[in-house]
Amino acid sequence: MKISTRIIVALSGLALIATFFAPIWMILLEAPQFPEGLSMHIWINKLTGNVDTINGLNHYIGMQKISAESFPEFKILPGLMGFFLVFGVVTALLNKKSILYIYTALLVLFALVAMVDFYMWEYSYGHDLDPHAPIKLDDTSFQPPLLGYKQIANFLAGSFPALGGVFFILSVLLAVVAAVIELNIFKRKKPVPVMSIITIFTIFMMSACTAGGTNPVAINFGSDECSHCKMTISDKKYGAEILTAKGKAYKFDDMGCMADFEKEFVKNNAAEKFQRFVINFYSPTNFVNLDNAHLLKSSSLRTPMASGWVAFGTATEAQKAQKEYGGEIVAGNLFK
C-alpha cells in the first residue's frame, strides 16, 4: 500500500477512540412546556440526559420505557468499536491491500447495520404503544426521525449524530478513501496529498470538538419574540442572543432582557455551556460576541426595555457613540 493510504487507514482506526469518550447520537425534544428542551444522549454502552423526564412523558401515550437494560446493543458495541479501532491500526501496519479491503467492507457494513438497527428501534418505540395508555391520539406514530427534525404532536423531535458519532462517520469515510486510493479507480497521475488529508483531519477534529452552536442564529425582526419579556423584537440596533452548546438560540430585544434571562438560565442549567452575542449598534446586521464587545450604557439611549445598553465591535465605535449619547463605556461582558 502507499504510505498515504497507510496513514489514512490508521487515522480511520484511531478516530474510533472518540466513541469511548463521547455519545454517538442524540435525541432532542422541544416544546413550549419545556423551553430549555429535553435531550437524550446515546453512548456505546449507556444513556444520559433527560431520560427519566422523557420516560415520564412517554408513559402517558403508552410508549415503552427507555433504559440501558433494554438495549442488548450496549453489551457488544464497546467490543465492536475496539475491534475496528485495532483492525484499522493493524491494517496500516500489515501493509496489505487485501486486509484494507476487508477492513473497509466490514466497517461500511457495520455502519449500515447500525443505522438499520437504530431505525428499527425508533420504529418499535414509536408504533408499539400500550393500548391502555392514559392518552390516545389519532396519530399513533410517534417515531422520531432517523436524521433531522420532525414535528410529533406538540414536540419538535430532532435526531443527530453526537460527537462520538461524527468521529465514527469520519472513520468510515477515511476507510473508504483509503480503499479508493488503492483501487486506483480514478487513475491518479499525481501522488496523493497526504499532508492535506492530515490537515483536513486535524481541522475536522478541532471543529468537531467545538461543534454545537458556534454561530449566532439570525433574528427575524418584526416576528421573533423576546425570550424574556415576550415582546416582538423589532428594533435592529438592540438585538441580543444566547446560543447554547446544543444549538438552541434565545433571542432578546434588549441586552437588559438577556442579562435578566441569563441569571435564571444559569440557575436552572448550571452545566449548560453557552455564548452571548449582541448586535453592533452601528452595523445592525452583524453580531458581536459579548466577550469581545465594547459596551456603552447611557440613559440617552432609548432601548426597547430601557436598559440603556448598546454594543460595538471596536473601541472607536463606542467612543464615537459616547460623544453623541454620553454614558459609560465598558469593555468586555460586564453588565453594571
Side-chain angles (χ1 to χ4, degrees), residues 32-68:
Q33 65 269 39
F34 294 99
E36 313 306 331
L38 300 174
S39 64
M40 181 175 71
H41 293 90
I42 304 173
W43 298 61
I44 59 174
N45 60 348
K46 63 181 178 181
L47 300 169
T48 58
N50 308 112
V51 181
D52 291 339
T53 303
I54 293 173
N55 275 330
L57 294 170
N58 290 346
H59 162 74
Y60 290 104
I61 57 175
M63 193 175 282
Q64 304 168 54
K65 182 180 179 180
I66 302 173
S67 66

Side-chain angles (χ1 to χ4, degrees), residues 7-34:
I7 293 174
I8 293 170
V9 75
L11 291 175
S12 169
L14 293 173
L16 296 175
I17 293 175
T19 63
F20 290 88
F21 299 99
I24 55 176
W25 209 265
M26 57 184 174
I27 302 292
L28 308 175
L29 296 173
E30 298 178 16
Q33 65 269 39
F34 294 99

Side-chain angles (χ1 to χ4, degrees), residues 33-285:
Q33 65 269 39
F34 294 99
E36 313 306 331
L38 300 174
S39 64
M40 181 175 71
H41 293 90
I42 304 173
W43 298 61
I44 59 174
N45 60 348
K46 63 181 178 181
L47 300 169
T48 58
N50 308 112
V51 181
D52 291 339
T53 303
I54 293 173
N55 275 330
L57 294 170
N58 290 346
H59 162 74
Y60 290 104
I61 57 175
M63 193 175 282
Q64 304 168 54
K65 182 180 179 180
I66 302 173
S67 66
E69 291 73 21
S70 60
F71 288 88
E73 292 89 342
F74 286 163
K75 296 179 181 178
I76 60 174
L77 274 176
L80 285 172
M81 289 297 181
F83 167 76
F84 281 108
L85 193 165
V86 174
F87 198 172
V89 175
V90 170
T91 299
L93 295 175
L94 292 179
N95 192 21
K96 291 187 177 180
K97 291 184 181 181
S98 59
I99 296 179
L100 169 64
Y101 300 147
I102 294 173
Y103 168 74
T104 303
L106 289 178
L107 189 58
V108 171
L109 179 63
F110 174 46
L112 293 175
V113 171
M115 291 306 296
V116 171
D117 180 66
F118 183 56
Y119 176 84
M120 295 306 296
W121 171 81
E122 287 187 323
Y123 185 91
S124 174
Y125 271 80
H127 290 78
D128 298 337
L129 306 178
D130 184 351
H132 304 293
I135 298 177
K136 296 181 176 61
L137 300 176
D138 293 335
D139 184 0
T140 57
S141 172
F142 295 94
Q143 181 180 354
L146 185 63
L147 181 66
Y149 277 105
K150 176 183 178 182
Q151 190 70 38
I152 303 176
N154 68 329
F155 279 90
L156 181 63
S159 176
F160 299 97
L163 182 60
V166 171
F167 274 90
F168 176 75
I169 294 170
L170 174 64
S171 173
V172 176
L173 292 176
L174 287 173
V176 171
V177 168
V180 168
I181 291 173
E182 288 302 321
L183 287 169
N184 200 24
I185 294 176
F186 301 108
K187 301 183 183 303
R188 294 181 59 88
K189 296 180 179 179
K190 298 180 179 179
V192 175
V194 64
M195 290 307 300
S196 298
I197 293 175
I198 293 175
T199 301
I200 293 172
F201 179 78
T202 304
I203 293 173
F204 179 89
M205 290 181 64
M206 294 175 65
S207 300
C209 289
T210 57
T214 57
N215 297 313
V217 178
I219 297 175
N220 298 311
F221 292 96
S223 58
D224 281 350
E225 182 182 85
C226 176
S227 295
H228 181 67
C229 71
K230 306 305 180 186
M231 301 286 285
T232 299
I233 306 174
S234 56
D235 198 323
K236 297 181 179 180
K237 293 183 294 186
Y238 306 111
E241 183 174 312
I242 285 179
L243 185 66
T244 71
K246 298 176 182 175
K248 175 72 173 179
Y250 298 96
K251 303 175 182 178
F252 308 96
D253 59 353
D254 189 303
M255 288 174 60
C257 280
M258 182 169 73
D260 292 338
F261 179 90
E262 181 184 338
K263 295 174 185 175
E264 290 298 316
F265 184 80
V266 171
K267 186 187 302 181
N268 300 323
N269 304 273
E272 179 80 53
K273 295 182 178 179
F274 61 88
Q275 297 185 79
R276 296 165 296 179
F277 297 93
V278 287
I279 289 288
N280 187 329
F281 183 75
Y282 282 143
S283 181
T285 58

